[in-house]
Every structure is written in C-alpha cells, then in structure tokens.
Amino acid sequence: MKNRLKVLRAERDWSQQALADLLEVSRQSVNAIETGKYDPSLPLAFRIADLFALPIEEIFIRN
Amino acid sequence: MKNRLKVLRAERDWSQQALADLLEVSRQSVNAIETGKYDPSLPLAFRIADLFALPIEEIFIRN
DNA sequence: GCGTTATGTCAATTACGCTTTACATCAGAT
DNA sequence: ATCTGATGTAAAGCGTAATTGACATAACGC
C-alpha cells in the first residue's frame, strides 16, 4: 500500500504535526504512514479521506 | 464502522468459508468482521473491495 | 437417527497500529 | 553561532487485527 499523504499535505502546506493534530493521532503515526512503515487502520484511513475530502481509493494505492 | 459484507455475501450465495478462501483469511476473521467484533485492516478492506468490485466507501460505513 | 454444512463463539497466540519519550539531523531565521 | 521548526527513527508498551484449534447449535439430505 502506497499513499499520497505527503503530497496532499504539501499541497496544503501542513506539517506532519499539523496533520497529526487534525487527525488526532501522534506525529510519529503520520510519519510512519508517510514513510511506509505501516498502513493506517481502516477507521483512520476514513478520517484521512474525510479530512482531504477524497475517496480512500484516491489516497491509498494497492500494492 | 458498519459493513455490508453479509449482504454482499448473501447476494452471491457464498459461505463465510468460501469468502474467507477468496480473501485468503480465516473463516473466523470473516465472521468477526461481519458480526462487528472488529474492523479489517486497510489492506484487507482493499482486497474485499476488489473482490466485490466496489469502492471501499460502498462496503464500509463510517460510524 | 446419522453425517454434513453453515454459523457463532471461545481461548491462546502472533503480528501490527498507535502511543509516549527521546534523540539526531537539517534548513532557515535572527 | 544559536535557536527553532520540521522530519526521521528507535525503544517500550498497550490495544486490537488476525491466526489456529476447538466446541456448540441449527438446518438439511439421506
């Protein structure tokens, strides 16, 4: 699973910490997801999709 | 997170075991997800969406 | 009755999502 | 040169996703 988090964040000029606050997770969680250390849980993926107003499929990519 | 797994499975007349085989998870996992014991991981949610050829948002519902 | 299939559930275990705390590096500003 | 913000990473711990194995029950055909 790859994801477009870093780009979406850059488009809005948000820091990892700012995004983490909006998502109510730790900065390390955002960092770990961006750097591909692990995938978010489904509920967190939904929160991310809601925040960016995009379908999950346009943020997270199979494979 | 609610989901429409049971209905989608019924529409295709698949047993929990048959679905588990297609998803390559245990029957207990399918059962646990259907009965709301827990949410699937994001990768598994994608596999489910792919299998039913539906967007994740049409299978899993917020709240 | 008996065997089979489907479903629900429990216990015990492994793997992973997410946390806090902490440390290191780099870029930019003063 | 120093301070600050941003990022990457690591360890330890907690909760949960997912596993296997097992047991119970209901529905069905034979």
Side-chain angles (χ1 to χ4, degrees):
Chain A
M1 301 250 38
K2 275 189 166 289
N3 69 74
R4 304 205 317 115
L5 258 196
K6 195 166 188 168
V7 174
L8 292 170
R9 195 167 56 73
E11 285 174 355
R12 287 154 183 81
D13 198 23
W14 288 346
S15 67
Q16 290 183 345
Q17 182 65 67
L19 176 55
D21 291 345
L22 289 168
L23 294 173
E24 296 180 306
V25 295
S26 69
R27 180 183 67 85
Q28 285 79 351
S29 288
V30 169
N31 184 66
I33 293 165
E34 278 193 8
T35 57
K37 285 193 148 189
Y38 53 71
D39 298 315
S41 68
L42 186 59
L44 179 51
F46 265 97
R47 272 186 277 152
I48 293 171
D50 288 346
L51 181 59
F52 290 109
L54 288 170
I56 287 185
E57 279 85 353
E58 286 185 26
I59 302 178
F60 299 94
I61 298 105
R62 296 157 183 75
N63 196 2
Chain B
M1 301 251 38
K2 276 189 167 290
N3 69 73
R4 301 188 42 241
L5 258 196
K6 195 165 186 168
V7 173
L8 293 169
R9 194 167 57 75
E11 285 174 356
R12 287 153 184 80
D13 198 22
W14 289 345
S15 66
Q16 291 183 345
Q17 182 65 66
L19 176 55
D21 291 344
L22 289 168
L23 294 173
E24 295 180 306
V25 295
S26 69
R27 180 183 68 85
Q28 286 83 344
S29 289
V30 169
N31 184 64
I33 293 165
E34 278 193 8
T35 58
K37 285 193 148 189
Y38 52 71
D39 298 315
S41 68
L42 186 58
L44 180 50
F46 265 97
R47 273 186 277 153
I48 293 170
D50 288 346
L51 181 60
F52 290 110
L54 288 171
I56 287 185
E57 279 86 354
E58 286 185 26
I59 302 178
F60 301 93
I61 298 105
R62 295 157 183 75
N63 195 21

